């Protein structure tokens, strides 16, 4: 079913009263756009070659990117206004957005408009004398590949997860069509040292760039299947956020690519990193983002929908997961680091004793059991949980991700609790931090 309100009429040729020679190409462009949105085929619309004549837009606007989004069950057009040092997002109901868009084109505020669908690229061009022409062609191979990646990532037609992403300079020939969720031109990437002054990827940061995109990809998939899928306001807290690569990336993707009212807080113990990231926030004038000095064991967020804790050492991961569960977070993302608590408790039961006599195997077993129990405890607390490789070992040794998405419907935890009990008994585990915290709060039966 189309999301376009019934009040939006199909385009028609210019009326007799409209003698403007541009009326026909403008009407045809409008018709193509409405049809693309109605059929869930509108990937992106880009307005370029700004003429600087609009006082509200200002003189230094670079381009506007437009895409359809659904907000509170109603279709809107989301306008991303790109300036040299900032981006501004405006969401308008579809009718009002369409009128605004066509007024810009009719008034020659922009000389070029490019509409991209999976099957064609529609270009509206206005000459220096103001004469409009329309050209329809096939999308480039790169555009087509990007469209397929975006559709797969969004999980449904017409999703708002459509992003225009350039290829990074370090990409080899056979990877040239890889989808990126963020653009290298994003200002925060330069401020954090990922790109140079020309927006090009710094070669030494290529691994970090891949990690950033993978993280956003994982989060995008989790968001699409979570209770937050259609929620406009989203509160994210990132514990141990460090220099903020992923913290800024989530904020940027939610705000500028998804059009959500994201409130993102980075929580970090090291004051110098807090000050660094806050300076970037202030410089770029980022709305809905903040950095605070704090520890997950004492931090109490006012609101929390998404809890992130990457590389929290040993039981700090347990405290982070506990906080997320206690706060009712819809999404919990952890990448554990160190697994010290369980290892000294482990027995080497027969017939595993000969294998576990080697220290490296004992350490791997402790890691598997610690994260396996965390996943089971999240399951018992009402989450669908996955444990998987976050990024390949060539990029980082800390490559495991625990991803938990809150279930829409509760179910009995009894079976999972019995499985936890049996595993603990088999290996001689008498205490696991997350389980103790949940029981102390009454979130699990004692």
């Amino acid at each position: 079913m189309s999301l376009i309100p019934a009040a939006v009429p199909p385009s028609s040729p210019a009326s007799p009263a409209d003698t403007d020679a541009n009326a026909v190409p403008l009407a045809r462009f409008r018709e193509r756009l409405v049809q693309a949105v109605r059929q869930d085929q509108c990937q992106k619309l880009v307005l370029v070659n700004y003429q600087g004549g609009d006082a509200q837009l200002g003189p230094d606007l670079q381009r506007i990117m437009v895409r359809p989004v659904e907000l509170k069950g109603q279709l809107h057009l989301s306008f991303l206004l790109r300036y040299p040092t900032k981006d501004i997002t405006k969401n308008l109901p579809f009718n009002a957005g369409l009128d605004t868009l066509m007024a810009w084109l009719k008034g020659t505020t922009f000389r070029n408009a490019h509409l991209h669908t999976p099957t064609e690229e529609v270009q509206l061009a206005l000459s220096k004398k103001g004469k409009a022409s329309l050209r329809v062609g096939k999308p480039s191979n790169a555009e087509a590949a990007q469209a397929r990646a975006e559709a797969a990532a969004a999980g449904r037609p017409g999703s708002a997860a459509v992003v225009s992403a350039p290829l990074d300079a370090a990409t080899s020939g056979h990877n040239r069509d890889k989808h990126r969720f963020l653009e290298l031109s994003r200002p925060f990437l330069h401020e954090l040292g990922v790109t140079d002054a020309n927006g090009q990827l710094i070669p030494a940061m290529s691994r970090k760039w891949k990690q950033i995109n993978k993280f956003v990809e994982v989060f995008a998939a989790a968001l699409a299947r979570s209770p937050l899928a259609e929620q406009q306001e989203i509160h994210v807290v990132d514990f141990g956020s460090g220099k903020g690569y992923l913290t800024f990336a989530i904020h940027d993707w939610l705000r500028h690519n998804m059009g959500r009212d994201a409130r993102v807080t980075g929580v970090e113990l090291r004051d110098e990193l807090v000050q660094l990231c806050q300076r970037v926030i202030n410089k770029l004038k980022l709305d809905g983002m903040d950095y605070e000095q704090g520890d997950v064991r004492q931090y109490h967020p006012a609101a929390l929908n998404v809890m992130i804790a990457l590389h929290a050492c040993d039981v700090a991961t347990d405290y982070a997961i506990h906080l997320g569960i206690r706060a009712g977070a819809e999404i919990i993302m952890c990448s554990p680091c160190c697994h010290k608590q369980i290892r000294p408790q482990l027995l080497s039961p027969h017939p595993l004793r000969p294998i576990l006599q080697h220290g490296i195997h004992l350490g791997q077993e402790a890691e598997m059991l610690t994260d396996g129990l965390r996943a089971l405890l999240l399951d018992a607390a009402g989450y669908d949980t996955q444990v998987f490789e976050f990024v390949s070992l060539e990029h980082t040794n800390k490559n495991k991700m625990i991803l938990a998405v809150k279930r829409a419907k509760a179910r009995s935890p009894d079976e999972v609790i019995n499985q936890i009990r049996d595993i603990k008994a088999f290996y001689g585990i008498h205490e696991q931090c997350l389980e103790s915290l949940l029981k102390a709060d009454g979130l699990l039966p004692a």
Side-chain angles (χ1 to χ4, degrees), residues 25 71 114 141 146 218 221 225 227 242 253 269 280 287 295 331 361 391 400-401 411 414 440:
L71 302 176
H114 300 264
N141 290 336
Q146 180 175 313
V218 170
R225 68 174 190 272
W253 184 77
L269 276 172
V280 174
D287 292 330
D295 186 334
I331 299 175
H361 289 164
V391 288
K400 185 184 292 184
M401 173 71 73
R411 67 187 187 202
D414 293 349

Side-chain angles (χ1 to χ4, degrees), residues 39-41 151 154-160:
Q39 297 176 353
D40 292 326
Q41 296 294 300
R156 61 185 188 277
S159 168

Side-chain angles (χ1 to χ4, degrees), residues 175-333:
N175 285 333
R176 291 180 65 85
D177 289 339
K178 277 192 175 180
H179 171 62
R180 298 299 184 204
F181 281 78
L182 299 173
E183 295 182 359
L184 279 169
S185 60
R186 302 302 300 139
F188 81 90
L189 291 170
H190 174 57
E191 296 299 327
L192 296 180
V194 178
T195 59
D196 60 22
N198 297 319
Q200 298 299 310
L201 179 67
I202 295 173
M205 299 300 292
S206 60
R207 290 182 177 181
K208 178 59 67 177
W209 174 234
K210 291 177 181 178
Q211 183 192 44
I212 290 170
N213 276 280
K214 183 63 177 179
F215 180 77
V216 177
E217 178 186 354
V218 170
F219 176 72
L223 182 67
R225 68 174 190 272
S226 78
L228 301 172
E230 304 299 335
Q231 184 170 312
Q232 176 64 8
E233 186 171 315
I234 299 176
H235 293 263
V236 181
V237 180
D238 183 2
F239 292 101
S241 47
K243 194 176 177 180
Y245 297 107
L246 304 183
T247 322
F248 281 88
I250 284 294
H251 174 269
D252 190 86
W253 184 77
L254 280 171
R255 280 247 167 185
H256 298 299
N257 295 344
M258 294 294 287
R260 304 295 179 88
D261 182 12
R263 310 288 171 169
V264 180
T265 302
V267 180
E268 171 58 44
L269 276 172
R270 292 164 288 184
D271 181 63
E272 65 274 16
L273 292 180
V274 174
Q275 297 302 320
L276 183 153
C277 291
Q278 195 60 52
R279 283 196 296 271
V280 174
I281 292 169
N282 295 338
K283 180 178 180 179
L284 300 181
K285 298 179 181 179
L286 299 179
D287 292 330
M289 187 169 183
D290 196 16
Y291 244 73
E292 299 178 10
Q293 188 172 20
D295 186 334
V296 66
R297 303 187 194 207
Q298 286 85 39
Y299 191 84
H300 301 287
L304 179 62
N305 300 119
V306 180
M307 196 289 299
I308 300 170
L310 304 187
H311 307 153
C313 188
D314 196 26
V315 296
T317 295
D318 296 298
Y319 278 91
I321 295 174
H322 170 248
L323 185 150
I325 294 174
R326 187 178 59 191
E330 286 85 353
I331 299 175
I332 293 174
M333 302 178 72

Side-chain angles (χ1 to χ4, degrees), residues 402-418:
I402 300 176
L403 174 65
V405 178
K406 199 168 188 179
R407 293 191 200 101
K409 295 182 179 179
R411 67 187 187 202
S412 173
D414 293 349
E415 181 180 357
V416 178
I417 289 174
N418 288 334

Side-chain angles (χ1 to χ4, degrees), residues 102-129:
M102 297 311 298
W104 283 334
L105 296 175
K106 185 176 181 180
T108 65
T109 304
F110 295 87
R111 286 271 177 82
N112 298 90
H114 300 264
L115 171 64
H116 297 266
T117 78
T119 58
E120 64 183 20
E121 180 179 344
V122 183
Q123 297 185 29
L124 178 69
L126 290 99
S127 69
K128 290 183 179 180
K129 294 183 179 180

Side-chain angles (χ1 to χ4, degrees), residues 376-384 407-421 443-445:
L376 288 169
L377 288 163
L378 279 160
D379 189 314
Y383 291 80
D384 291 320
R407 293 191 200 101
K409 295 182 179 179
R411 67 187 187 202
S412 173
D414 293 349
E415 181 180 357
V416 178
I417 289 174
N418 288 334
Q419 291 172 347
I420 294 170
R421 185 182 298 116
L443 297 173
L444 283 181

